[in-house]
Every structure is written in structure tokens, then in C-alpha cells.
Amino acid sequence: VPKPLQGRVVRASKFRHVFGQAVKNDQCYDDIRVSRVTWDSSFCAVNPKFVALIIEASGGGAFLVLPLHKTGRIDKAYPTVCGHTGPVLDIDWCPHNDQVIASGSEDCTVMVWQIPENGLVTNLSEPVVVLEGHSKRVGIITWHPTARNVLLSAGCDNLIIIWNVGTGEAMIQLEEMHPDVIFSACWNRNGSLICTACKDKTIRIIDPRKEEVIGEKEKAHEGARPMRAIFLSDGNIFTTGFSRMSERQLALWNPQAMDEPITVHEMDTSNGVLLPFYDPDTSVVYLCGKGDSSIRYFEITDEAPFVHYLNSFASKEPQRGMGYMPKRGLDVNKCEIARFYKLHERKCEPIIMTVPRKSDLFQDDLYPDTAGPDCAIEAEDWFEGKDGEPILISLKNGYVPGKNRDLKVVKKNILDNKLSNTTEKTGPKNEAKLEEVLKEIKSLKDLVSSQEKRIIQLEEQMSKISI
């Protein structure tokens, strides 16, 4: 009797029946001119309050920020974020503040923006801070997952800079690690390491504070087209790329043993770059090819073949870009486990991924505690070598957003350090200065109140005249 076919047993997984559904037309964001710039970023970033998307802008670079509920046709005159002088290439919402978004541009700068509580009412052209340090266009922007105000940018000058946004300083510059264009950069779960994919076909694992490459794999994918690399929560690395025969591939790597992949999987011969979106809570990776019309998803486990194909969401229209909602922005009552914001040429269409369940109760197996909006450590702690694991929250009663504090940037003056030694010795001088300032404030207050009285008198006279 022939043995039954090994491996034919259907693997049990609660995500086998995940299905995707595009929302109805009136729930889309319509009449948007999505950017046509040639660059393989996702062009879209979302959080529980806003969807941001890079648009075509004449003479400069701009992106839209829409409150999630602002669906339907977007007026041509709707305000934009428009401070860049060249096309915007990448945008990323701060994970610890839903009003703060960073953008990288062809104008070689990184800008960080504070979006008003209820969205924009007029064009926003003044960023909170401009981060200057790249000599070529900046195509990759990614916030540190657990430390406040730490931002990574990578440019076509093959340079990675890690900024303290709170002071506007470039704290770490990773030079001469990448001999060619950097295709992707990703933090690990607690932000102690980064992994990059580069045009030289090498995947690198970098300790940014030691400024050392601690692991690498040349020719991770042998094809010439762009690769992507992301960290998984267990520390392994997931990559997408192309074979020598131009087939699209995905692979899984153990950073401690980079010689051979844990697994490699050939997909198809389409030529769009595969953008991976990863959910650490469920270990599901969603692959969105640029120019594809489908989203494929896989579950990653520690049993062979390690990367298990689950299903794919297919549609008719190709995607120009894709936004991915953090877990805390999902509707847990509908068993929604992922939500994508698919960019078409002229609209943005939400796609909802659901696990069908009969019960209306909270499904705690689908929603383990997830990374919340609080940061674990301050920027200064991280630059000094401390690490902080993500601070988790329960989604049992849905996510209730707290109040975001404004992003304050205190520019460091190089002179400060030199001055601080001398000022400590000059106590009395400081006190005299303080007195002076207080006097000045008092005189200003007096001036304001006398002006107020005068205005009231004038208004009274005017009203008598107009009668």
C-alpha cells in the first residue's frame, strides 16, 4: 500500500479563512492625484486618526492628510502639507503621537510635521523641524518603535542618519556601510538593531549605536531588482527579492546563521517590488506588489516550511501604493485583523481583512496585547545605550486614543555646552538677569492692559458715532 502523500494534511491555522473585502465606493477617498514619482515606497501611511498619501504636486512636494472619516470626493482645494521643494518620497507616522508625521524628499531634507487635532484647515508649509544632513534625495523614513523622537532616514547618498527629533540633531551617521542605494531599512522589535537591503544585493544587520555591521548576506536574492528586508518579532529576518531568472522570491533568515536561508519560496515572474507588511501579534506577513492587483498573505511559524501561504485578496485594479493600519486602529468587534489603504491612480480604497467568527464576544486569540502608543524610553536614554521593549495594551474594549502632547523641538546650540561651565559660576549675574526679564514682562503686561482700556474706550466712541 503506497504511503499517503506526506505533507498533504491541511495545516490547522486560525488564519486559513481570513478574507479581504474592499469597502463600498462611498467609503473610499476619491479624486486624489496620487504621486507618479518613480520610487518604491508605499506612498501612504495611516494611523487610528488619519490617512496620509503622497500626491502629485506642481513645483515641490506635497502630501494629503485626511481624517479617517473624511471619505468621498476630496475637493481640489483641500489643504496639503507642502513645505518640501521637491517631490516627497516617503512618509511615516510617529508611533507615539498620532498628530506627528515625518517626510523625506527629493529636496534632500527630512521634515517633521505636527497635524492639528482635527486635521488641516489650511495648507501646512511650516514643519516643526527640518532635518538637514543628506546630500542626495531621502527615500526612506522610519521612526524608532519604542524610543520617543528617534527617527531614521536613508538617502540616495547611501547614508543612514539617526536623528534626535527633539533637538533636531543628527546623532548617528552610518557611512561607508552601503556602497550603493539603500532599498529598505527596518528596526527590530525593541529598536536595538536595524536591517537593510541594498542595491549591492546584500542584506545587512547593523548595530546602529556601535556603528557596526554584525551580520550580512551577499546575494540574498540574486536578481537585480529591488529587495526588501524586515525584522520579525523573534529576531529572524524576512526578505523579498528576485531570482536570477527574475522570479519574485521571499526568504526567511536567521541573523546568527546567515549563510543559508531558513527557507526560500519562488512566487511568480511579475516585476513589481513586493512590499512586506508584518503583524507581530499574529505572525502574518502581507505582501503587496507595486503594480499588482492582489495582496498575498502568509503565516510564519517555527515548523517547516516556516512560511505558510494562507490566501490572497484579488481585485481588478493595480495598486500604486499601500497603507497599513496599526493594530490599535482596527475594529475588534468585527474580527478585523488587518486594514490596508490601497492607492489607485485617482483614489484610496480601504481593504478590510477579517477572520470569520460566529461569536460576538471579544476574540482574545486573535488580539493578544499589542504595541500601544506610549514610548518605553526617551531619545536620550536610547542614544546612551538603553533599550525598551514595546509597551503593550489590551484591545478588549477597543482602543481609546489619549491626548497627544505637542512635539516640542529644542534646538541645541553648540555654544550651550561651552557656556554651561561658565554660567554655573555666575549665580548673582543670572539673578540680576532674571529680575530684568521679570520687570520687562511686568511692563509689557501693563502696556497690554492700558491698550485694552483704550480699545474699549474707542469701541464705545465708535458705537455712539454709528448710531
Side-chain angles (χ1 to χ4, degrees):
V1 182
K3 276 190 183 168
L5 277 172
Q6 296 280 302
R8 276 279 159 233
V9 181
V10 175
R11 199 178 60 90
S13 164
K14 54 187 158 220
F15 305 112
R16 264 192 43 221
H17 302 292
V18 169
F19 70 99
Q21 207 166 17
V23 300
K24 295 193 172 64
N25 262 347
D26 60 352
Q27 294 298 298
C28 294
Y29 307 87
D30 243 322
D31 226 10
I32 292 163
R33 292 172 43 229
V34 174
S35 172
R36 310 181 76 84
V37 68
T38 354
W39 186 249
D40 286 319
S41 69
S42 61
F43 285 15
C44 182
V46 285
N47 69 21
K49 284 189 175 163
F50 299 108
V51 52
L53 14 109
I54 305 175
I55 53 170
E56 274 294 281
S58 48
F63 58 97
L64 273 176
V65 173
L66 305 170
L68 288 187
H69 58 75
K70 180 142 183 59
T71 51
R73 194 179 158 276
I74 306 300
D75 197 293
K76 291 268 179 293
Y78 195 87
T80 63
V81 180
C82 54
H84 283 288
T85 57
V88 176
L89 300 176
D90 198 17
I91 48 179
D92 194 30
W93 285 107
C94 171
H96 310 122
N97 187 331
D98 288 342
Q99 316 293 129
V100 171
I101 188 168
S103 55
S105 159
E106 219 151 278
D107 67 12
C108 308
T109 68
V110 175
M111 293 183 179
V112 181
W113 310 86
Q114 173 100 28
I115 305 298
E117 189 74 34
N118 301 311
L120 298 177
V121 260
T122 59
N123 281 349
L124 182 57
S125 56
E126 287 298 313
V128 183
V129 64
V130 181
L131 304 173
E132 294 175 300
H134 286 285
S135 58
K136 287 196 177 161
R137 60 191 184 149
V138 183
I140 297 170
I141 292 288
T142 174
W143 291 91
H144 191 286
T146 62
R148 190 195 316 277
N149 289 344
V150 175
L151 179 66
L152 177 153
S153 63
C156 292
D157 46 10
N158 312 339
L159 171 67
I160 289 178
I161 301 181
I162 300 176
W163 308 85
N164 179 345
V165 174
T167 61
E169 288 176 289
M171 302 292 289
I172 295 171
Q173 303 206 22
L174 304 175
E175 300 173 273
E176 291 165 15
M177 284 187 181
H178 299 88
D180 212 327
V181 175
I182 300 163
F183 286 143
S184 75
C186 175
W187 297 97
N188 67 349
R189 184 139 169 97
N190 70 1
S192 56
L193 300 174
I194 54 179
C195 68
T196 63
C198 176
K199 196 173 178 176
D200 68 351
K201 302 183 188 176
T202 302
I203 301 289
R204 292 175 177 79
I205 300 153
I206 298 166
D207 181 328
R209 288 168 298 192
K210 289 190 176 142
E211 305 190 14
E212 278 172 20
V213 176
I214 59 169
E216 61 183 353
K217 173 63 180 170
E218 292 176 17
K219 294 203 173 149
H221 295 275
E222 297 196 11
R225 293 190 51 70
M227 303 192 295
R228 284 280 180 282
I230 59 171
F231 266 112
L232 305 179
S233 53
D234 61 4
N236 283 344
I237 289 173
F238 179 89
T239 61
T240 66
F242 293 79
S243 71
R244 236 191 356 251
M245 308 302 291
S246 297
E247 287 175 305
R248 292 200 290 194
Q249 294 178 318
L250 52 84
L252 193 59
W253 308 84
N254 172 356
Q256 269 72 54
M258 292 289 279
D259 308 342
E260 288 301 319
I262 298 169
T263 181
V264 180
H265 183 79
E266 252 90 36
M267 306 240 305
D268 56 20
T269 51
S270 178
N271 63 1
V273 175
L274 285 169
L275 306 177
F277 296 94
Y278 170 61
D279 176 9
D281 307 335
T282 56
S283 291
V284 175
V285 170
Y286 300 86
L287 296 185
C288 305
K290 254 195 150 173
D292 287 15
S293 48
S294 65
I295 300 173
R296 282 173 254 213
Y297 35 108
F298 299 80
E299 188 178 357
I300 298 178
T301 69
D302 38 23
E303 55 197 66
F306 309 107
V307 179
H308 310 268
Y309 173 73
L310 289 169
N311 211 332
S312 88
F313 163 81
S315 62
K316 295 198 173 61
E317 298 289 317
Q319 53 230 13
R320 296 279 296 273
M322 197 64 87
Y324 178 60
M325 178 66 80
K327 213 48 171 296
R328 58 195 171 90
L330 302 180
D331 187 343
V332 296
N333 301 319
K334 297 205 175 100
C335 294
E336 184 181 11
I337 63 157
R339 192 188 313 153
F340 289 93
Y341 286 72
K342 171 179 170 178
L343 300 188
H344 299 242
E345 227 160 284
R346 303 286 312 209
K347 74 170 178 183
C348 170
E349 173 187 47
I351 292 164
I352 289 167
M353 301 280 184
T354 313
V355 176
R357 290 279 164 100
K358 291 190 176 71
S359 158
D360 287 339
L361 298 174
F362 177 70
Q363 307 288 314
D364 52 10
D365 63 321
L366 297 182
Y367 302 106
D369 289 356
T370 190
D374 289 342
C375 58
I377 52 174
E378 298 296 326
E380 290 68 20
D381 301 331
W382 186 78
F383 286 112
E384 281 167 12
K386 291 197 184 79
D387 288 320
E389 296 303 318
I391 295 177
L392 305 182
I393 56 171
S394 164
L395 295 177
K396 182 145 191 178
N397 303 310
Y399 166 68
V400 183
K403 189 94 179 76
N404 286 305
R405 61 184 195 180
D406 283 0
L407 170 62
K408 295 267 190 295
V409 175
V410 182
K411 281 285 181 82
K412 281 238 177 120
N413 186 337
I414 303 158
L415 299 171
D416 279 358
N417 299 343
K418 294 175 186 162
L419 287 173
S420 62
N421 307 333
T422 52
T423 47
E424 281 159 19
K425 298 167 196 158
T426 56
K429 241 189 203 168
N430 279 357
E431 275 173 31
K433 198 149 201 174
L434 186 63
E435 283 291 296
E436 207 176 299
V437 171
L438 289 172
K439 261 188 198 152
E440 203 169 321
I441 290 173
K442 189 180 177 315
S443 71
L444 285 171
K445 275 185 177 165
D446 294 345
L447 181 63
V448 170
S449 70
S450 72
Q451 302 275 39
E452 262 181 76
K453 283 176 193 152
R454 200 168 152 228
I455 290 169
I456 291 166
Q457 284 170 354
L458 287 169
E459 281 173 343
E460 281 170 0
Q461 287 169 357
M462 287 296 291
S463 65
K464 283 172 190 158
I465 294 166
S466 59
I467 288 163

